[in-house]
Amino acid sequence: MTARRIDLHTHSTASDGTTTPGALVRQARAAGLDVVALTDHDTTDGHAAAAGALPVGLSLVRGAEISCRGGGVSLHLLAYLFDAENRALANALDGLRESRVGRAERMVRMLERDGIGVSWEQVRALAGGVVGRPHVAQALVAAGKVASVSEAFTPDWIGTHGRYWAPKLELDVVETISLVRAAGGVTVFAHPAATARGRTVDDDVIALMAQAGLAGLEVDHVDHTEAARRHLRGLAAELGLFTTGGSDFHGDNKSVQLGDHMTTEQAYAVLIERATGAEVLAA
Ligand code: AMP
Ligand code: ZN
Ligand code: FE
Ligand code: FE
């Protein structure tokens, strides 16, 4: 049997991707994937639609990418196969989404004050689900202020600590790892070395996360250099973590494509074995 093609990091219109959950699973199969994880920011809202549209031959891993903070740094925690009905975890995600709305409104208000032609109604309409900076970026593209969504992520615009940036709520990463585990899920530290997004955490923070029950590190990611990947693989081996890969597909909001980075069969097997909160779905 040839190795399955496994992509464990994607976003849909339930957060800041541009592809609906249903179209995403169809596109994933068309791209030759055998397993795809839907990991929208701070929500599980896309799961039902993705499950309902699942093509034959594709397995769906239900997950989320949770906004966290560790060692004084913003970071993303991928969570897989947790019980989405778990009250404590669902409440935590509710709080994150609520904070995102007020935060996006604040950014739009700052832009409006400076006469940049964007409005809250427009950003609200661009966000079909969880609102994020890419929706504000889309409004900036529509206003002709930047040429692409990516170009809005600079200090002059809505890049982290940039002129029109506002902070959002982030959960303590160690607490969140425990919360996801208590809901039967498995956690993976998303793009730990994505330096373009701001400060990254030191290895001792990753060690603390491992102690708290972190299961894996996302090593193969578009924002990682070869050197960073080598370092992370060594660290994972030291800490007893598995390593994953994922495209971090966002539809038209980013240039990456489904399957651009993938996870090995061995790492996937460990993930499945540890999860008790939800089943992998197949048509
Ligand atoms: P937020 O979670 O609302 O703070 O927005 C951050 C999200 O914007 C990230 O999770 C990425 O999906 C996206 N993002 C960050 N940097 C870029 C970039 N340079 N180009 C496109 N999307 C980006
Ligand atoms: Zn995103
Ligand atoms: Fe992320
Ligand atoms: Fe992501």
Side-chain angles (χ1 to χ4, degrees):
M1 190 183 120
T2 52
R4 285 182 297 175
R5 292 167 54 84
I6 304 166
D7 183 344
L8 293 183
H9 191 163
T10 72
H11 298 269
S12 74
T13 49
S15 67
D16 58 9
T18 61
T19 310
T20 64
L24 187 144
V25 289
R26 289 189 292 271
Q27 201 177 314
R29 190 60 191 144
L33 290 178
D34 301 291
V35 180
V36 72
L38 181 62
T39 54
D40 275 304
H41 297 285
D42 306 326
T43 189
T44 59
D45 278 356
H47 291 177
L54 208 53
V56 171
L58 183 72
S59 295
L60 174 68
V61 174
R62 288 166 291 172
E65 186 176 20
I66 308 178
S67 304
C68 291
R69 196 159 188 85
V73 173
S74 296
L75 54 88
H76 291 169
L77 187 70
L78 288 161
Y80 300 105
L81 299 172
F82 51 85
D83 173 11
E85 311 270 280
N86 177 279
R87 254 314 101 206
L89 182 54
N91 286 344
L93 297 181
D94 284 349
L96 290 174
R97 291 197 302 274
E98 198 177 295
S99 141
R100 280 173 165 280
V101 176
R103 174 272 197 142
E105 277 181 307
R106 271 207 302 291
M107 292 196 288
V108 169
R109 239 182 289 125
M110 289 189 280
L111 288 161
E112 279 179 321
R113 209 176 293 141
D114 281 0
I116 315 293
V118 302
S119 71
W120 175 239
E121 294 69 54
Q122 181 192 12
V123 171
R124 199 57 280 201
L126 286 165
V130 174
V131 65
R133 276 184 285 171
H135 302 113
V136 180
Q138 285 172 352
L140 286 168
V141 173
K145 298 297 172 184
V146 294
S148 69
V149 164
S150 290
E151 278 185 31
F153 284 83
T154 61
D156 288 342
W157 297 103
I158 57 170
T160 305
H161 296 294
R163 176 147 183 203
Y164 299 103
W165 171 83
K168 65 179 192 293
L169 179 66
E170 295 167 334
L171 304 175
D172 177 78
V173 71
V174 165
E175 283 171 23
T176 307
I177 289 167
S178 299
L179 207 54
V180 173
R181 282 181 89 195
V186 176
T187 52
V188 171
F189 185 2
H191 46 72
T195 47
R197 298 165 182 234
R199 273 178 62 213
T200 58
V201 299
D202 295 333
D203 290 355
D204 56 342
V205 175
I206 300 181
L208 287 176
M209 290 167 68
Q211 264 175 39
L214 181 76
L217 297 182
E218 186 184 49
V219 170
D220 287 310
H221 184 279
V222 64
D223 292 347
H224 286 171
T225 63
E226 270 312 316
R229 292 177 204 208
R230 268 197 303 280
H231 176 76
L232 288 171
R233 270 187 235 288
L235 184 64
E238 237 172 75
L239 297 172
L241 306 172
F242 60 76
T243 63
T244 69
S247 63
D248 208 352
F249 177 71
H250 277 73
D252 299 332
N253 278 343
K254 280 189 190 174
S255 55
V256 285
Q257 294 305 315
L258 286 163
D260 273 1
H261 291 93
M262 290 187 288
T263 297
T264 64
E265 197 73 64
Q266 299 93 291
Y268 180 60
V270 178
L271 192 160
I272 298 303
E273 192 193 82
R274 297 217 190 145
T276 58
E279 300 286 331
V280 174
L281 301 179

